Structures are given as structure tokens and as C-alpha cells.
């Protein structure tokens, strides 16, 4: 079964910057040339880019870990290492990107060709030409490249259709879509025929066009996650006009009104705003024997329903015989002309609010600049985001670079914090796999 992948988790690992170089000029007749070590190149970033040709996140099903290339190391004669190319990943229009560590929405990709940097490549380390001074004209100091960002993300696709077809399974949504757009959805007479929201373009003789999506079927309790409900509901968030299809062919005369109310109840439970969308009630299968009688009964029940703010217009069609279909499309286009376009900014705001609590909690629990713990063997262990970042950019092959890192730690307050914890002369201190003795 070709299931529709609309939510997927991915890893993005940007490239590390190239290491800076320690080098000196070797010129004829110049016995002690100055520093000439070049900088490292920038690491590759990972970028998501909207591709209009994609309709699903299916491509991510078997490829979820993305790694960009590292920048080239600096070279002698002050030559900078080559920067790595960015890794660009195609995503469908309507992809929302959420950071799994913070819970925050970091982007909503709705425009054609829109790009979003999801993991930034590290900058190249500086070569020793940058560390020359009057006191130290020939420095043996260079930086390692900055590590690239690692991000753990969730991608969610919300289909960008102007018009959404809603209704119970097998009411004729797929048939209508195939008639008016030329799309070829799979059609069969059983519940949950549509597992994938099919999308097609409606072209009208007057030159107007719009995108129409046939949504997965809905059952009672969908807004609580039963059946395909939530998948269906997520995909109608962005549609501007809803065509609510109601089957008129049943032997049970009350089935139409019961199912109409049930669908609207599910919409209200998921997001009351959805009921404010313009909705045309489409009476389907009017070519069937009971249809006319059921339609009259359905209209009478709508007219006496006190829960409705106004009695909706009911438009009868038969997708099989094409009766009323062209007029319905004209009416839909007219309604679209009167309905404002999707507001991505307010949608962003709404999505961000949903995750604000998680983001706030993350900020409050954010790791400090450095941490101090102690191993069972008595070794002091240093960690923390900022300290490890500086350590990773330190070239430990050169004593001057090590001394520079020691100064940076002192300025951060690491030495004082160790003393407060009771460190003694000669105690071992470890950062990652690098171990050194503490000296007062």
C-alpha cells in the first residue's frame, strides 16, 4: 500500500569548517619568514528548498540522515582552504519544520522556491597569520574548524489546496476530483478508499483555475485520533473553501443529515476556526433512485436545525452523469474570489504558540557555558556547550594553542569554579579524551 507520508523525523549534520594552518614563509635570502598559514574553508550547510513537483514526504522514508561535507584545511602561502558545497534537499510546498530539541517551529515553507537553512556549516579555523603581534611575530597558533550544527527535526506536510473535498468515505469525492481535474485517484466502494490526499487543478473556460484536494475519509472520533481522522484534519487547515459532499443514495433517509452533522462536529472539535471557512454542501449521487426524495428530506431537516447560524446552500450533482458539476465549479471559483488568501504569518504564529511551552522549558533548562563533574577515579570532567565548542576549535598539536585555550577557560571562570569544588594541584582534568594536570 502506498501510504501518504506527511510527518517524518530527520537528522541534519552540517559540515565542519576546515582547520587553519600553522606555516611560515620560506623565501630565498629571508632567513626567518613571517607567518603564512591560511584559513580553513567553510563547512557545508544543509538547506531545505521547496520543489513544486513534489507532493509528499515519501522521499524521506528511506533517507532520513543528511550530512554535509567539511571545509578544506588552510594551506601555506596564506591560501584559504576550499569551502564545501551546501547540501540542498527538496521538500514539497507546505512543509512545516519543527526542531525536536526545542519544540519550536523554525520554518514554514509555503512559497515557490523558498529556502530554509536547517543546519549551518561551521566557519573555517583561522591560520597563524591572524595571531601575529609585536610580542609574538611568529605565532604557532591556529584554530581548528568550527563544528557544523547538528539538528534533529520533524517535517510535516500540510497540503496547499485552495478547495478541500470533505465528507464520509465513499460519498464521491474521488469521482468528482477525477471528473473536474483529470486526476486519477484510486476509486473503490469500501471505507477509507483514499489514504492519500489527491491533488488536482481545476481549469475553467473563463481562464480561472484553482487547486482541489480530495481528503482522506473521516469517521466519528477523528479529532481524537481515531481512524485516519487527524491525518485528514491536518490537511484541510490550509484550504480556503470546503466542499462538503453528502451521499443522497442511502436507503436510510436520515443518514445524510446525521453524517453532515458528524463531519462538522469533528471539524469543530479539531479547530473551531475551520467551521468559519466558506462551505458548500454538495448533494452527490443524484442519479440514484432514492436521491431526489432523500434530498428533499435533507433540505427540510437543515431548514429546521437551530444549531446552524444560517442554512447552507445545497448544490445537487451527479459526478457520473456530470449533472451540475460545471455549475458547481463556477460557484466554487466565485467563492474563492471572495475569500482571502491563506495567511502564512498568522498560521506561523498559531503553530509557534502550540510549542511555546516546550520551547520555554528548553530555554530554562539550557546547558550553561561549562559543567564540572567527577569520575569515580577522581578525575575532574569538564563539559558544556561553550567550553566544548572552544575546545573543538583548539589545535592541540601546538603548545601556544593549548596556552591560548587555558587563558580562554580562565576568562570563563573555569579555574575558579574548580577551586570552589576542591580541586588540588596535580589533580587530573579531562575534556573529551584530552587529560591534563591542574596546576595552581
Amino acid at each position: 500500500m502506498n501510504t501518504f507520508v506527511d510527518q517524518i523525523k530527520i537528522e541534519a549534520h552540517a559540515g565542519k569548517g576546515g582547520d587553519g594552518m600553522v606555516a611560515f614563509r620560506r623565501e630565498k635570502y629571508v632567513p626567518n619568514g613571517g607567518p603564512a598559514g591560511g584559513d580553513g574553508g567553510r563547512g557545508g550547510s544543509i538547506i531545505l528548498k521547496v520543489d513544486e513537483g513534489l507532493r509528499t514526504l515519501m522521499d524521506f522514508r528511506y533517507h532520513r540522515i543528511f550530512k554535509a561535507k567539511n571545509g578544506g584545511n588552510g594551506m601555506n602561502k596564506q591560501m584559504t582552504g576550499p569551502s564545501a558545497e551546501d547540501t540542498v534537499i527538496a521538500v514539497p510546498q507546505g512543509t512545516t519544520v519543527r526542531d525536536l530539541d526545542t519544540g519550536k517551529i523554525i520554518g514554514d515553507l509555503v512559497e515557490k522556491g523558498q529556502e530554509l537553512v536547517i543546519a549551518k556549516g561551521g566557519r573555517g579555523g583561522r591560520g597563524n597569520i591572524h595571531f601575529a603581534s609585536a610580542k609574538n611575530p611568529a605565532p604557532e597558533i591556529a584554530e581548528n574548524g568550527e563544528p557544523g550544527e547538528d539538528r534533529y527535526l520533524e517535517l510535516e506536510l500540510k497540503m496547499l489546496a485552495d478547495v478541500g473535498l470533505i465528507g464520509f468515505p465513499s460519498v464521491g469525492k474521488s469521482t468528482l476530483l477525477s471528473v473536474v481535474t483529470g486526476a486519477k485517484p484510486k476509486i473503490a466502494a469500501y471505507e477509507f478508499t483514499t489514504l492519500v490526499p489527491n491533488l488536482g487543478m481545476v481549469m475553467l473556460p473563463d481562464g480561472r483555475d484553482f487547486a482541489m484536494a480530495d481528503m482522506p475519509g473521516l469517521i466519528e472520533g477523528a479529532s481524537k485520533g481515531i481512524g485516519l481522522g487527524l491525518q485528514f484534519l491536518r490537511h484541510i487547515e490550509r484550504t480556503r473553501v470546503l466542499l462538503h459532499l453528502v451521499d443522497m443514495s442511502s436507503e436510510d433517509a436520515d443518514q445524510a443529515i446525521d453524517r453532515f452533522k458528524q463531519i462538522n462536529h469533528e471539524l469543530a472539535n479539531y479547530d473551531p476556526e475551520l467551521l468559519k471557512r466558506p462551505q458548500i454542501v454538495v448533494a452527490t449521487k443524484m442519479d440514484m433512485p432514492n436521491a431526489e426524495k432523500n434530498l428533499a428530506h435533507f433540505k427540510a431537516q437543515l431548514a429546521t436545525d437551530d444549531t446552524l447560524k444560517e442554512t447552507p446552500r445545497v448544490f445537487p450533482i451527479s459526478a457520473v452523469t456530470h449533472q451540475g458539476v460545471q455549475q458547481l465549479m463556477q460557484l466554487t471559483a466565485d467563492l474563492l474570489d471572495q475569500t482571502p488568501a491563506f495567511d502564512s504569518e498568522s498560521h506561523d504564529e498559531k503553530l509557534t504558540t502550540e510549542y511555546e511551552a516546550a520551547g520555554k522549558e528548553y530555554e530554562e533548562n539550557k546547558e550553561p557555558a561549562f559543567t564540572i563533574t567527577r569520575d569515580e577515579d577522581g578525575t575532574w570532567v569538564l563539559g558544556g556547550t561553550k567550553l566544548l565548542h572552544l575546545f573543538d576549535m583548539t589545535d592541540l598539536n601546538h603548545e601556544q594553542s593549548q596556552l591560548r585555550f587555558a587563558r580562554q577557560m580562565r576568562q570563563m571562570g573555569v579555574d575558579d569554579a574548580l577551586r570552589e569544588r576542591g580541586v588540588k594541584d596535580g589533580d587530573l582534568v579531562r575534556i573529551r579524551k584530552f587529560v591534563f594536570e591542574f596546576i595552581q
Side-chain angles (χ1 to χ4, degrees):
M1 183 177 70
N2 183 23
T3 56
F4 182 76
V5 179
D6 68 341
Q7 270 184 318
I8 209 91
K9 290 181 174 67
I10 66 165
E11 292 179 26
H13 303 282
K16 170 184 171 293
D19 297 339
M21 187 179 193
V22 172
F24 299 93
R25 287 203 302 274
R26 294 284 180 264
E27 295 176 23
K28 206 172 182 182
Y29 310 120
V30 182
N32 295 308
D39 300 344
R42 182 183 58 77
S45 296
I46 298 182
I47 299 168
L48 298 182
K49 184 175 182 180
V50 172
D51 180 342
E52 294 169 70
L54 290 179
R55 290 292 180 210
T56 73
L57 295 172
M58 187 65 74
D59 291 352
F60 292 93
R61 200 173 198 189
Y62 305 108
H63 187 187
R64 300 191 190 199
I65 300 173
F66 298 89
K67 293 181 180 178
K69 292 186 176 175
N70 297 333
N73 293 336
M75 296 168 279
N76 57 15
K77 297 184 180 177
Q78 302 183 20
M79 285 169 37
T80 300
S83 291
E85 283 189 18
D86 294 331
T87 299
V88 180
I89 306 165
V91 294
Q93 208 171 351
T95 302
T96 299
V97 187
R98 181 165 68 95
D99 188 309
L100 289 170
D101 291 324
T102 66
K104 286 191 173 180
I105 300 293
I106 61 169
D108 208 8
L109 295 160
V110 294
E111 305 293 333
K112 296 175 183 176
Q114 187 178 345
E115 293 186 357
L116 175 69
V117 178
I118 55 169
K120 193 176 177 185
R123 71 170 176 83
R126 291 176 294 174
N128 69 334
I129 54 172
H130 293 281
F131 298 98
S133 64
K135 284 186 179 178
N136 189 5
E140 291 195 10
I141 300 176
E143 288 177 330
N144 285 343
E146 180 183 38
E149 286 184 327
D150 293 318
R151 299 290 281 275
Y152 300 89
L153 304 165
E154 181 180 72
L155 307 184
E156 178 175 306
L157 176 63
K158 297 191 181 182
M159 192 163 277
L160 290 176
D162 300 303
V163 178
L165 302 178
I166 63 173
F168 260 73
S170 303
V171 294
K173 299 189 295 294
S174 298
T175 306
L176 177 61
L177 186 80
S178 65
V179 168
V180 297
T181 69
K184 294 182 171 49
K186 291 179 183 175
I187 300 170
Y190 51 84
E191 299 282 287
F192 299 126
T193 307
T194 305
L195 297 176
V196 179
N198 295 294
L199 194 69
M201 289 298 295
V202 178
M203 309 282 190
L204 295 179
D206 60 13
R208 291 183 294 176
D209 59 26
F210 54 87
M212 178 185 279
D214 149 29
M215 306 299 181
L218 189 64
I219 57 171
E220 191 172 358
S223 60
K224 298 181 181 68
I226 296 171
L228 290 173
L230 285 179
Q231 180 174 342
F232 157 84
L233 288 164
R234 271 204 302 272
H235 288 291
I236 62 171
E237 278 189 2
R238 282 184 168 154
T239 54
R240 292 192 283 142
V241 170
L242 300 175
L243 298 188
H244 188 157
L245 274 61
V246 185
D247 183 353
M248 292 295 152
S249 66
S250 174
E251 294 290 328
D252 178 4
D254 290 325
Q255 188 192 77
I257 193 71
D258 291 343
R259 291 193 161 188
F260 171 77
K261 287 179 177 178
Q262 222 168 301
I263 294 284
N264 280 343
H265 177 70
E266 291 303 320
L267 293 181
N269 275 354
Y270 180 71
D271 183 354
E273 289 295 311
L274 292 174
L275 283 181
K276 295 179 184 175
R277 305 278 164 93
Q279 192 179 120
I280 300 173
V281 180
V282 182
T284 65
K285 305 188 183 179
M286 291 306 296
D287 54 301
M288 301 299 282
N290 293 335
E292 289 293 347
K293 184 178 159 190
N294 285 341
L295 177 60
H297 185 61
F298 178 67
K299 282 183 173 178
Q301 287 172 308
L302 280 181
T304 57
D305 191 338
D306 297 334
T307 61
L308 297 170
K309 288 182 181 176
E310 57 183 57
T311 304
R313 177 174 180 180
V314 181
F315 202 97
I317 67 160
S318 166
V320 175
T321 65
H322 294 199
Q323 170 202 337
V325 170
Q326 199 58 35
Q327 295 92 315
L328 174 63
M329 293 303 103
Q330 294 285 353
L331 179 64
T332 304
D334 293 342
L335 200 49
L336 275 173
D337 290 341
Q338 301 158 25
T339 307
F342 169 70
D343 182 355
S344 61
E345 283 185 22
S346 67
H347 184 72
D348 264 353
E349 201 175 307
K350 178 186 162 196
L351 285 170
T352 304
T353 304
E354 190 180 330
Y355 299 110
E356 257 178 9
K360 194 174 178 186
E361 186 183 335
Y362 171 80
E363 290 297 325
E364 287 168 359
N365 298 326
K366 207 169 183 181
E367 198 179 358
F370 64 89
T371 59
I372 300 173
T373 55
R374 202 166 189 189
D375 274 352
E376 290 177 6
D377 63 3
T379 302
W380 298 91
V381 180
L382 298 179
T385 308
K386 186 176 179 183
L387 185 139
L388 292 178
H389 188 269
L390 289 172
F391 175 78
D392 288 337
M393 293 187 71
T394 299
D395 183 354
L396 298 173
N397 296 315
H398 296 279
E399 188 182 356
Q400 286 185 22
S401 291
Q402 293 180 24
L403 291 172
R404 178 170 175 261
F405 178 61
R407 286 195 302 273
Q408 289 172 325
M409 284 202 298
R410 199 173 304 120
Q411 287 162 2
M412 287 171 68
V414 175
D415 289 17
D416 291 341
L418 280 168
R419 289 189 191 98
E420 283 176 22
R421 295 285 296 270
V423 72
K424 294 183 178 62
D425 255 4
D427 279 2
L428 294 179
V429 181
R430 179 165 60 81
I431 305 173
R432 298 206 193 277
K433 293 181 180 178
F434 181 68
V435 181
F436 59 94
E437 280 187 17
F438 183 84
I439 300 170
Q440 294 281 8

